[in-house]
Amino acid sequence: MFCTSQSHSLTVSYLINNLGFTPQSALNASKRHRFKTPHKADLIIAFFKTHGFSHSQIAAIVAKLPKILSANPERILPKFQFLASKGASTDDIVLLSTRNPRFLHLSLKNNIIPTYAMLKTFFQSDQKTLRCIASIPGLFMEARLVKNVKLLADAGVSDSAIGYLLRTRVLVLLSADLRKQVDEIKELGIDPSTVKFAIALQAKKTVPKSLWDAKVNVLKSWGWSKETMSEAFRRNPLCMLSSKDKINEVMKLWVNQLGWDPLALAKIPWLFGYNLERRIIPRAFVLQYLLAKGLRNKSDNLCLPFFIPEDMFLKRFVESFTEDMSQLLKIYHEKKKMFMITA
Protein backbone atom coordinates (compact mmCIF):
# COMPACT_ATOMS: atom_id res chain seq x y z
CA MET A 1 0.00 0.00 0.00
CA PHE A 2 2.85 2.33 0.96
CA CYS A 3 4.65 1.45 -2.29
CA THR A 4 1.55 2.20 -4.34
CA SER A 5 1.02 5.51 -2.56
CA GLN A 6 4.68 6.41 -3.04
CA SER A 7 4.61 5.68 -6.79
CA HIS A 8 1.41 7.67 -7.09
CA SER A 9 2.98 10.65 -5.35
CA LEU A 10 6.14 10.35 -7.47
CA THR A 11 4.14 10.26 -10.72
CA VAL A 12 2.12 13.36 -9.75
CA SER A 13 5.16 15.38 -8.75
CA TYR A 14 7.06 14.27 -11.88
CA LEU A 15 4.25 15.39 -14.19
CA ILE A 16 4.01 18.75 -12.42
CA ASN A 17 7.73 19.46 -12.21
CA ASN A 18 8.90 18.02 -15.54
CA LEU A 19 5.95 18.50 -17.90
CA GLY A 20 4.11 21.47 -16.42
CA PHE A 21 0.91 19.62 -15.53
CA THR A 22 -1.49 21.26 -13.13
CA PRO A 23 -1.99 19.36 -9.87
CA GLN A 24 -5.43 18.22 -11.01
CA SER A 25 -4.34 17.09 -14.47
CA ALA A 26 -1.34 15.30 -12.95
CA LEU A 27 -3.63 13.54 -10.49
CA ASN A 28 -5.97 12.46 -13.31
CA ALA A 29 -3.08 11.14 -15.41
CA SER A 30 -1.57 9.26 -12.45
CA LYS A 31 -4.82 7.34 -12.04
CA ARG A 32 -4.27 5.90 -15.52
CA HIS A 33 -0.56 5.18 -15.18
CA ARG A 34 2.08 5.50 -12.48
CA PHE A 35 5.72 4.50 -12.06
CA LYS A 36 8.08 3.71 -9.19
CA THR A 37 11.20 5.38 -10.67
CA PRO A 38 11.56 8.21 -13.18
CA HIS A 39 14.22 6.39 -15.22
CA LYS A 40 12.00 5.28 -18.15
CA ALA A 41 10.11 8.58 -18.15
CA ASP A 42 13.39 10.49 -18.44
CA LEU A 43 14.47 8.29 -21.35
CA ILE A 44 11.27 8.70 -23.35
CA ILE A 45 11.15 12.46 -22.82
CA ALA A 46 14.77 12.75 -23.95
CA PHE A 47 13.94 10.58 -26.96
CA PHE A 48 11.06 12.82 -27.99
CA LYS A 49 13.16 15.96 -27.60
CA THR A 50 15.88 14.42 -29.76
CA HIS A 51 13.33 13.79 -32.50
CA GLY A 52 11.95 17.31 -32.68
CA PHE A 53 9.12 17.31 -30.16
CA SER A 54 8.62 20.47 -28.13
CA HIS A 55 7.96 20.51 -24.39
CA SER A 56 4.27 21.27 -24.93
CA GLN A 57 3.91 18.51 -27.54
CA ILE A 58 5.45 15.94 -25.20
CA ALA A 59 3.10 17.09 -22.44
CA ALA A 60 0.14 16.76 -24.81
CA ILE A 61 1.14 13.20 -25.71
CA VAL A 62 1.52 12.20 -22.05
CA ALA A 63 -1.82 13.79 -21.17
CA LYS A 64 -3.53 11.63 -23.80
CA LEU A 65 -1.48 8.50 -23.15
CA PRO A 66 0.24 8.54 -19.72
CA LYS A 67 1.63 5.02 -20.13
CA ILE A 68 3.91 6.33 -22.88
CA LEU A 69 6.24 7.36 -20.02
CA SER A 70 7.11 3.69 -19.54
CA ALA A 71 7.56 2.93 -23.24
CA ASN A 72 10.80 1.71 -24.74
CA PRO A 73 12.21 4.30 -27.20
CA GLU A 74 13.79 1.50 -29.21
CA ARG A 75 10.31 0.19 -30.05
CA ILE A 76 9.10 3.62 -31.18
CA LEU A 77 12.13 4.59 -33.25
CA PRO A 78 11.48 2.05 -36.09
CA LYS A 79 8.02 3.57 -36.59
CA PHE A 80 9.52 7.03 -37.03
CA GLN A 81 12.15 5.57 -39.38
CA PHE A 82 9.48 3.81 -41.45
CA LEU A 83 7.49 7.03 -41.94
CA ALA A 84 10.67 8.99 -42.68
CA SER A 85 11.60 6.42 -45.34
CA LYS A 86 8.29 7.22 -47.06
CA GLY A 87 9.05 10.92 -47.12
CA ALA A 88 7.45 12.08 -43.87
CA SER A 89 9.14 15.14 -42.39
CA THR A 90 9.93 15.58 -38.70
CA ASP A 91 6.92 17.89 -38.46
CA ASP A 92 4.70 15.21 -40.05
CA ILE A 93 5.81 12.59 -37.54
CA VAL A 94 5.40 14.98 -34.63
CA LEU A 95 1.92 15.95 -35.81
CA LEU A 96 0.80 12.33 -36.24
CA SER A 97 2.17 11.32 -32.84
CA THR A 98 0.66 14.34 -31.08
CA ARG A 99 -2.77 13.97 -32.62
CA ASN A 100 -3.00 10.25 -31.95
CA PRO A 101 -0.35 8.98 -29.51
CA ARG A 102 -1.83 5.48 -29.57
CA PHE A 103 -0.05 5.15 -32.91
CA LEU A 104 3.20 4.90 -30.90
CA HIS A 105 2.03 1.63 -29.32
CA LEU A 106 0.95 -0.05 -32.54
CA SER A 107 2.83 -2.96 -34.05
CA LEU A 108 4.92 -1.81 -36.98
CA LYS A 109 4.75 -5.22 -38.63
CA ASN A 110 1.11 -6.10 -37.97
CA ASN A 111 -0.61 -2.69 -38.13
CA ILE A 112 1.38 0.19 -39.54
CA ILE A 113 3.08 -1.42 -42.55
CA PRO A 114 0.00 -3.37 -43.82
CA THR A 115 -2.31 -0.36 -43.41
CA TYR A 116 0.17 1.94 -45.16
CA ALA A 117 0.59 -0.53 -48.02
CA MET A 118 -3.18 -0.79 -48.46
CA LEU A 119 -3.61 3.00 -48.50
CA LYS A 120 -0.80 3.45 -51.00
CA THR A 121 -2.51 0.99 -53.36
CA PHE A 122 -5.24 3.58 -53.82
CA PHE A 123 -3.27 6.83 -53.47
CA GLN A 124 -0.36 5.49 -55.57
CA SER A 125 2.22 7.89 -54.13
CA ASP A 126 3.81 8.23 -50.70
CA GLN A 127 3.04 11.94 -50.68
CA LYS A 128 -0.72 11.44 -51.13
CA THR A 129 -0.75 8.51 -48.69
CA LEU A 130 0.98 10.56 -46.00
CA ARG A 131 -1.42 13.44 -46.61
CA CYS A 132 -4.36 11.12 -45.99
CA ILE A 133 -2.81 9.77 -42.79
CA ALA A 134 -2.03 13.30 -41.57
CA SER A 135 -5.65 14.36 -42.08
CA ILE A 136 -6.98 11.35 -40.16
CA PRO A 137 -4.22 10.15 -37.78
CA GLY A 138 -6.47 7.45 -36.35
CA LEU A 139 -6.39 5.43 -39.57
CA PHE A 140 -3.52 3.26 -38.34
CA MET A 141 -5.67 2.33 -35.34
CA GLU A 142 -8.58 1.02 -37.36
CA ALA A 143 -8.34 -2.69 -38.11
CA ARG A 144 -11.83 -2.37 -39.60
CA LEU A 145 -10.47 -0.14 -42.37
CA VAL A 146 -8.46 -2.90 -44.04
CA LYS A 147 -11.30 -5.38 -43.49
CA ASN A 148 -13.91 -3.09 -45.08
CA VAL A 149 -11.72 -2.20 -48.04
CA LYS A 150 -11.39 -5.93 -48.73
CA LEU A 151 -15.16 -6.30 -48.31
CA LEU A 152 -15.76 -3.63 -50.98
CA ALA A 153 -13.20 -5.11 -53.34
CA ASP A 154 -14.77 -8.56 -52.99
CA ALA A 155 -18.18 -7.01 -53.73
CA GLY A 156 -16.89 -5.67 -57.04
CA VAL A 157 -16.41 -2.06 -55.98
CA SER A 158 -13.77 -0.48 -58.20
CA ASP A 159 -10.46 0.91 -56.99
CA SER A 160 -11.54 4.38 -58.14
CA ALA A 161 -14.69 4.18 -55.99
CA ILE A 162 -12.75 2.97 -52.94
CA GLY A 163 -10.15 5.67 -53.58
CA TYR A 164 -12.93 8.28 -53.65
CA LEU A 165 -14.08 7.20 -50.19
CA LEU A 166 -10.55 7.18 -48.82
CA ARG A 167 -9.97 10.71 -50.12
CA THR A 168 -13.27 12.26 -49.18
CA ARG A 169 -15.35 10.11 -46.80
CA VAL A 170 -13.07 7.67 -45.05
CA LEU A 171 -15.52 7.33 -42.15
CA VAL A 172 -17.76 5.35 -44.49
CA LEU A 173 -15.03 2.70 -44.56
CA LEU A 174 -15.13 2.44 -40.77
CA SER A 175 -18.81 1.49 -40.68
CA ALA A 176 -19.72 -1.59 -38.68
CA ASP A 177 -22.68 -2.29 -40.99
CA LEU A 178 -20.97 -1.63 -44.32
CA ARG A 179 -21.95 -5.00 -45.80
CA LYS A 180 -25.64 -4.23 -45.21
CA GLN A 181 -25.28 -0.84 -46.90
CA VAL A 182 -23.46 -2.39 -49.87
CA ASP A 183 -26.24 -4.96 -50.34
CA GLU A 184 -28.96 -2.27 -50.12
CA ILE A 185 -27.31 -0.12 -52.78
CA LYS A 186 -26.73 -3.11 -55.04
CA GLU A 187 -30.44 -3.90 -54.80
CA LEU A 188 -31.18 -0.40 -56.12
CA GLY A 189 -29.30 -1.31 -59.29
CA ILE A 190 -26.28 0.97 -58.89
CA ASP A 191 -23.20 -0.52 -60.55
CA PRO A 192 -20.51 -1.18 -57.88
CA SER A 193 -17.76 -0.58 -60.42
CA THR A 194 -18.72 3.12 -60.68
CA VAL A 195 -17.82 6.04 -58.41
CA LYS A 196 -21.55 6.65 -58.09
CA PHE A 197 -21.69 3.53 -55.93
CA ALA A 198 -19.24 5.15 -53.50
CA ILE A 199 -21.31 8.35 -53.51
CA ALA A 200 -24.40 6.27 -52.68
CA LEU A 201 -22.54 4.70 -49.76
CA GLN A 202 -21.58 8.19 -48.62
CA ALA A 203 -25.20 9.31 -48.69
CA LYS A 204 -26.39 6.23 -46.82
CA LYS A 205 -23.74 6.66 -44.13
CA THR A 206 -24.15 10.43 -43.76
CA VAL A 207 -27.91 10.47 -43.22
CA PRO A 208 -29.19 8.78 -40.02
CA LYS A 209 -32.01 6.28 -40.58
CA SER A 210 -34.60 8.42 -38.75
CA LEU A 211 -33.79 11.42 -40.94
CA TRP A 212 -33.66 9.25 -44.06
CA ASP A 213 -37.15 7.95 -43.27
CA ALA A 214 -38.38 11.51 -42.70
CA LYS A 215 -37.17 12.52 -46.17
CA VAL A 216 -38.78 9.43 -47.68
CA ASN A 217 -42.09 10.41 -46.05
CA VAL A 218 -41.86 13.92 -47.51
CA LEU A 219 -41.35 12.49 -50.99
CA LYS A 220 -44.22 10.04 -50.48
CA SER A 221 -46.50 12.95 -49.56
CA TRP A 222 -45.85 14.38 -53.04
CA GLY A 223 -46.80 11.14 -54.76
CA TRP A 224 -43.43 9.48 -55.11
CA SER A 225 -43.46 5.69 -54.96
CA LYS A 226 -40.63 3.48 -53.78
CA GLU A 227 -39.68 2.91 -57.42
CA THR A 228 -39.63 6.67 -58.09
CA MET A 229 -37.32 7.24 -55.12
CA SER A 230 -35.03 4.46 -56.26
CA GLU A 231 -34.85 6.02 -59.73
CA ALA A 232 -33.94 9.42 -58.26
CA PHE A 233 -31.34 7.91 -55.96
CA ARG A 234 -29.78 5.94 -58.82
CA ARG A 235 -29.49 9.12 -60.86
CA ASN A 236 -28.04 11.22 -58.05
CA PRO A 237 -27.48 9.64 -54.61
CA LEU A 238 -26.55 13.03 -53.15
CA CYS A 239 -30.16 14.17 -53.47
CA MET A 240 -30.80 12.52 -50.10
CA LEU A 241 -28.28 14.85 -48.46
CA SER A 242 -30.69 17.76 -48.95
CA SER A 243 -32.73 18.56 -45.85
CA LYS A 244 -36.34 17.39 -45.69
CA ASP A 245 -37.42 21.05 -45.51
CA LYS A 246 -35.44 21.85 -48.66
CA ILE A 247 -36.99 18.88 -50.46
CA ASN A 248 -40.43 20.02 -49.40
CA GLU A 249 -39.83 23.64 -50.48
CA VAL A 250 -38.62 22.55 -53.92
CA MET A 251 -41.72 20.34 -54.27
CA LYS A 252 -44.07 23.16 -53.23
CA LEU A 253 -42.54 25.49 -55.82
CA TRP A 254 -42.56 22.83 -58.53
CA VAL A 255 -46.11 21.60 -57.98
CA ASN A 256 -48.12 24.34 -56.24
CA GLN A 257 -46.64 27.45 -57.86
CA LEU A 258 -45.52 26.17 -61.23
CA GLY A 259 -48.09 23.40 -61.67
CA TRP A 260 -45.55 20.89 -62.86
CA ASP A 261 -45.48 17.11 -62.39
CA PRO A 262 -43.71 16.12 -59.12
CA LEU A 263 -42.62 12.83 -60.70
CA ALA A 264 -40.55 14.76 -63.24
CA LEU A 265 -38.14 15.69 -60.46
CA ALA A 266 -37.10 12.05 -60.18
CA LYS A 267 -35.38 12.51 -63.53
CA ILE A 268 -33.50 15.63 -62.33
CA PRO A 269 -32.83 14.97 -58.62
CA TRP A 270 -29.77 17.23 -58.81
CA LEU A 271 -32.25 20.07 -58.45
CA PHE A 272 -32.68 19.39 -54.73
CA GLY A 273 -29.04 20.31 -54.20
CA TYR A 274 -29.20 23.69 -55.96
CA ASN A 275 -29.83 27.00 -54.21
CA LEU A 276 -33.60 27.48 -54.16
CA GLU A 277 -33.73 31.28 -54.03
CA ARG A 278 -30.77 32.21 -56.22
CA ARG A 279 -30.95 29.50 -58.85
CA ILE A 280 -34.10 27.40 -58.95
CA ILE A 281 -36.81 30.03 -58.47
CA PRO A 282 -35.56 32.67 -60.98
CA ARG A 283 -34.94 30.08 -63.66
CA ALA A 284 -38.18 28.22 -63.01
CA PHE A 285 -40.29 31.35 -63.51
CA VAL A 286 -38.44 32.16 -66.72
CA LEU A 287 -39.25 28.66 -67.97
CA GLN A 288 -42.86 29.03 -66.87
CA TYR A 289 -43.14 32.21 -68.97
CA LEU A 290 -41.60 30.50 -72.00
CA LEU A 291 -43.97 27.54 -71.67
CA ALA A 292 -47.00 29.80 -71.29
CA LYS A 293 -46.05 31.76 -74.41
CA GLY A 294 -45.42 28.61 -76.41
CA LEU A 295 -41.74 29.46 -76.75
CA ARG A 296 -40.72 26.18 -75.16
CA ASN A 297 -42.24 22.71 -75.31
CA LYS A 298 -43.21 20.74 -72.22
CA SER A 299 -41.30 17.79 -73.63
CA ASP A 300 -38.02 19.74 -73.74
CA ASN A 301 -35.15 18.81 -71.45
CA LEU A 302 -35.96 20.08 -67.96
CA CYS A 303 -32.51 19.44 -66.52
CA LEU A 304 -30.48 21.66 -68.82
CA PRO A 305 -31.90 25.08 -67.81
CA PHE A 306 -31.08 24.47 -64.14
CA PHE A 307 -27.76 22.73 -64.71
CA ILE A 308 -25.89 25.21 -66.93
CA PRO A 309 -23.99 28.27 -65.60
CA GLU A 310 -25.88 31.55 -65.22
CA ASP A 311 -24.32 33.31 -68.24
CA MET A 312 -25.22 30.37 -70.48
CA PHE A 313 -28.75 30.23 -69.04
CA LEU A 314 -29.32 33.92 -69.80
CA LYS A 315 -27.94 33.54 -73.30
CA ARG A 316 -30.03 30.48 -74.20
CA PHE A 317 -33.28 31.11 -72.33
CA VAL A 318 -33.50 34.90 -72.11
CA GLU A 319 -31.40 36.77 -74.65
CA SER A 320 -32.21 34.43 -77.55
CA PHE A 321 -35.89 35.48 -77.35
CA THR A 322 -35.39 39.04 -78.55
CA GLU A 323 -39.07 40.06 -78.53
CA ASP A 324 -39.59 38.84 -74.98
CA MET A 325 -36.13 39.50 -73.63
CA SER A 326 -37.03 42.58 -71.57
CA GLN A 327 -39.89 40.75 -69.84
CA LEU A 328 -37.77 37.65 -69.27
CA LEU A 329 -34.96 39.74 -67.77
CA LYS A 330 -37.48 41.50 -65.54
CA ILE A 331 -38.84 38.17 -64.25
CA TYR A 332 -35.39 36.74 -63.71
CA HIS A 333 -33.89 39.70 -61.89
CA GLU A 334 -36.99 40.48 -59.86
CA LYS A 335 -37.16 36.95 -58.51
CA LYS A 336 -33.43 36.91 -57.79
CA LYS A 337 -33.40 40.43 -56.29
CA MET A 338 -36.33 39.60 -54.01
CA PHE A 339 -34.29 36.93 -52.24
CA MET A 340 -31.06 38.94 -52.27
CA ILE A 341 -32.86 41.71 -50.36
CA THR A 342 -34.39 39.37 -47.80
CA ALA A 343 -31.01 37.69 -47.32
Side-chain angles (χ1 to χ4, degrees), residues 113-132:
I113 291 177
T115 302
Y116 188 94
M118 182 274 293
L119 290 171
K120 190 177 177 182
T121 299
F122 297 98
F123 289 106
Q124 298 184 342
S125 74
D126 288 316
Q127 183 181 17
K128 291 179 181 178
T129 303
L130 289 169
R131 192 181 303 148
C132 173

Side-chain angles (χ1 to χ4, degrees), residues 63-343:
K64 293 177 182 176
L65 191 69
K67 67 180 180 179
I68 197 67
L69 289 174
S70 295
N72 183 350
E74 292 182 3
R75 294 181 66 85
I76 297 176
L77 180 60
K79 298 162 191 175
F80 288 179
Q81 292 173 331
F82 172 77
L83 292 175
S85 73
K86 303 302 179 183
S89 66
T90 298
D91 287 345
D92 292 334
I93 294 170
V94 169
L95 182 65
L96 174 61
S97 303
T98 307
R99 283 184 175 178
N100 195 348
R102 290 188 303 158
F103 151 75
L104 302 169
H105 275 302
L106 286 177
S107 166
L108 178 63
K109 180 181 178 181
N110 298 326
N111 295 93
I112 296 174
I113 291 177
T115 302
Y116 188 94
M118 182 274 293
L119 290 171
K120 190 177 177 182
T121 299
F122 297 98
F123 289 106
Q124 298 184 342
S125 74
D126 288 316
Q127 183 181 17
K128 291 179 181 178
T129 303
L130 289 169
R131 192 181 303 148
C132 173
I133 293 166
S135 64
I136 308 176
L139 283 183
F140 278 137
M141 306 299 303
E142 298 292 346
R144 185 177 289 152
L145 177 67
V146 176
K147 178 182 176 182
N148 278 347
V149 166
K150 185 178 185 304
L151 184 157
L152 292 179
D154 291 345
V157 179
S158 65
D159 285 356
S160 59
I162 297 172
Y164 168 85
L165 291 172
L166 284 168
R167 288 190 302 274
T168 63
R169 291 292 184 273
V170 72
L171 291 180
V172 172
L173 296 173
L174 304 180
S175 302
D177 60 346
L178 188 61
R179 182 178 294 279
K180 177 184 175 185
Q181 294 169 346
V182 167
D183 292 340
E184 287 176 356
I185 294 168
K186 275 188 170 183
E187 287 176 7
L188 292 172
I190 299 178
D191 185 352
S193 68
T194 64
V195 173
K196 185 180 286 187
F197 193 90
I199 296 172
L201 277 174
Q202 172 192 342
K204 273 283 190 181
K205 175 63 180 175
T206 302
V207 183
K209 187 178 185 307
S210 59
L211 190 52
W212 185 281
D213 292 342
K215 295 177 185 183
V216 167
N217 289 334
V218 168
L219 292 168
K220 282 182 178 178
S221 72
W222 290 100
W224 279 31
S225 65
K226 183 178 178 181
E227 290 72 24
T228 306
M229 291 182 219
S230 296
E231 177 189 358
F233 189 72
R234 280 196 300 272
R235 288 176 181 271
N236 179 35
L238 292 180
C239 67
M240 291 302 283
L241 296 185
S242 299
S243 71
K244 65 184 182 66
D245 291 337
K246 171 73 174 295
I247 293 172
N248 200 42
E249 288 301 313
V250 171
M251 282 294 196
K252 283 198 291 187
L253 168 74
W254 194 266
V255 179
N256 295 346
Q257 292 185 255
L258 300 172
W260 296 347
D261 182 4
L263 300 184
L265 280 171
K267 299 187 183 303
I268 50 171
W270 300 272
L271 206 69
F272 292 115
Y274 292 149
N275 186 290
L276 181 64
E277 293 84 6
R278 306 287 177 84
R279 189 182 192 115
I280 300 175
I281 290 175
R283 298 189 187 196
F285 278 94
V286 165
L287 293 177
Q288 186 186 47
Y289 177 91
L290 294 174
L291 287 166
K293 295 278 286 185
L295 299 173
R296 183 172 171 81
N297 296 319
K298 288 185 177 181
S299 59
D300 288 343
N301 188 326
L302 267 177
C303 179
L304 182 65
F306 296 101
F307 180 73
I308 58 178
E310 182 180 42
D311 57 344
M312 192 177 295
F313 174 83
L314 291 173
K315 184 176 181 180
R316 293 190 62 169
F317 297 98
V318 175
E319 295 167 7
S320 62
F321 300 97
T322 52
E323 293 183 7
D324 297 87
M325 185 171 69
S326 60
Q327 183 61 25
L328 288 167
L329 281 171
K330 181 181 178 183
I331 292 170
Y332 183 80
H333 289 300
E334 278 185 354
K335 292 296 181 184
K336 196 167 187 180
K337 186 178 180 182
M338 177 172 61
F339 293 104
M340 289 177 70
I341 292 173
T342 55

Side-chain angles (χ1 to χ4, degrees), residues 51-64:
H51 287 84
F53 290 75
S54 68
H55 184 273
S56 61
Q57 288 166 334
I58 297 170
I61 290 172
V62 174
K64 293 177 182 176

